[in-house]
Each structure stands twice: as structure tokens, then as C-alpha cells.
Amino acid sequence: MRIGYARVSTEDQNLALQKDALEKADCEQIYTDTVSGTKARRPGLEDALSHLRTGDTLVVWRLDRLGRSLRHLIDTVTELQEKGIGFKSLQESIDTTTSSGKLVFHIFGALAEFEREIIRERTQAGLQSARARGRSGGRPKALTEKQVQMLRQLAANKDRSVDDICKTLVFRE
């Protein structure tokens, strides 16, 4: 069975083009969402995934209709493959039920992994470079060491309120 999934980001957009293409691709059921691709919760996609069984194929008009990111797309298709479910993207002509489609998808996965590693390496190199120049990452300290000592001395006096201590240290006006 072929199950289709279509998504548009806003109410102003129309699902007709995607639905027509999915119907032409012989999808027996079509599930839809009108929600931004960045949203994690997409009820139509959840319904489509819950109806897929071993031997079925999930069909989308374009890759970006399914995945929030390349990583999400790869994870979703990998989960489908582990369950014996195929995946087909009409515009990109990717069909994981064929050997050439699997190859293309594995190349996408390898490129995504390569990109993640490059980003990680750049981040590490930047942090090492900053440390070598005496800089440390993270948020700057809100209080100086002198202010921390003063705060402890003021807090030791149980007669002072937190508000009085904050006013003394100019935390509040």
C-alpha cells in the first residue's frame, strides 16, 4: 500500500498540487498537515506513520515536506527502513524500495554526517583557539569576586532582608 503525506506551512498555502501528485502516484490514503516544518508535532504525519505496515511505502511530493531538517529526514527514513517500509519522494525521484534509491539516500546520509562532523571540528578548533588566547566560553560572571564576598557578609546578618541586600549591591533600584 502507498500512503501519501502532504504538508503546507500556512493556511494561505494550498495542498492541491501535492495531493494531485500523490493521487497520480497511486496513494490509497493521503494524510495532510498545515503546520510549519519546524514544528515537532505534526498530527497528519503521526497518523500516516501509524498506518504504515511492512511492505508499505510512504510517498511525499518533495523531501522538505517530510523532514524538519536533513537529520530528521534521515532518521525518519531510517526508522521506516528498519520496519520494512519504503520511502518515495516524487520530485527528487528517490525510491528506497529500489537499489539506486537506497544508494542516493545513503549518500545523503553520509553527507549529513560529514557536515555534522565538520561543524563539530570547527567548533572545537574555535574553542581551543579562544582558550589559547585566555578566553573562556560561556556567560560572563554576573558578580565580581569582591561582590560575592560582600554578598556573603551581608547574608550572614540574618536581620537584613534579601531586598535590602540587593539594594546595597545595586541589583535593584
Side-chain angles (χ1 to χ4, degrees):
M1 175 188 278
R2 288 183 174 198
I3 293 181
Y5 174 68
R7 180 185 61 78
V8 291
S9 300
T10 66
E11 294 287 339
D12 297 336
Q13 296 172 326
N14 192 327
L15 287 164
L17 172 72
Q18 294 178 54
K19 284 175 134 181
D20 290 347
L22 294 171
E23 287 170 6
K24 189 175 178 183
D26 298 325
C27 292
E28 295 176 39
Q29 295 176 324
I30 298 174
Y31 296 89
T32 64
D33 277 320
T34 302
V35 63
S36 169
T38 60
K39 300 294 182 194
R41 177 138 166 54
R42 293 186 274 167
L45 178 59
E46 291 169 11
D47 286 344
L49 295 174
S50 72
H51 284 85
L52 289 163
R53 302 292 176 253
T54 301
D56 290 348
T57 301
L58 177 65
V59 183
V60 296
W61 182 63
R62 279 184 29 186
L63 289 173
D64 66 348
R65 301 297 86 196
L66 177 64
R68 295 189 319 265
S69 64
L70 183 57
R71 176 80 253 148
H72 179 254
L73 176 67
I74 290 168
D75 289 345
T76 302
V77 174
T78 300
E79 283 179 33
L80 293 173
Q81 286 180 332
E82 288 170 357
K83 295 175 182 176
I85 299 167
F87 170 75
K88 184 172 186 173
S89 174
L90 301 175
Q91 290 296 302
E92 290 85 4
S93 298
I94 295 174
D95 184 350
T96 64
T97 63
T98 67
S99 55
S100 61
K102 285 180 185 174
L103 172 65
V104 169
F105 202 77
H106 284 292
I107 290 170
F108 280 3
L111 290 172
E113 187 173 337
F114 174 71
E115 179 186 27
R116 280 191 309 280
E117 285 298 314
I118 293 294
I119 291 168
R120 191 183 66 73
E121 288 173 5
R122 282 189 202 139
T123 301
Q124 291 302 317
L127 290 171
Q128 284 179 336
S129 175
R131 282 187 210 109
R133 291 190 312 275
R135 297 182 63 203
S136 61
R139 186 176 178 175
K141 301 272 188 242
L143 300 174
T144 65
E145 194 59 41
K146 185 177 180 181
Q147 286 174 317
V148 171
Q149 289 174 354
M150 187 184 307
L151 176 64
R152 287 188 177 130
Q153 289 172 352
L154 291 170
N157 180 353
K158 301 298 179 193
D159 294 333
R160 287 210 136 142
S161 70
V162 171
D163 198 45
D164 287 341
I165 294 171
C166 289
K167 285 178 185 173
T168 303
L169 293 174
V170 193
F171 291 141
R172 293 187 197 153
E173 294 299 322

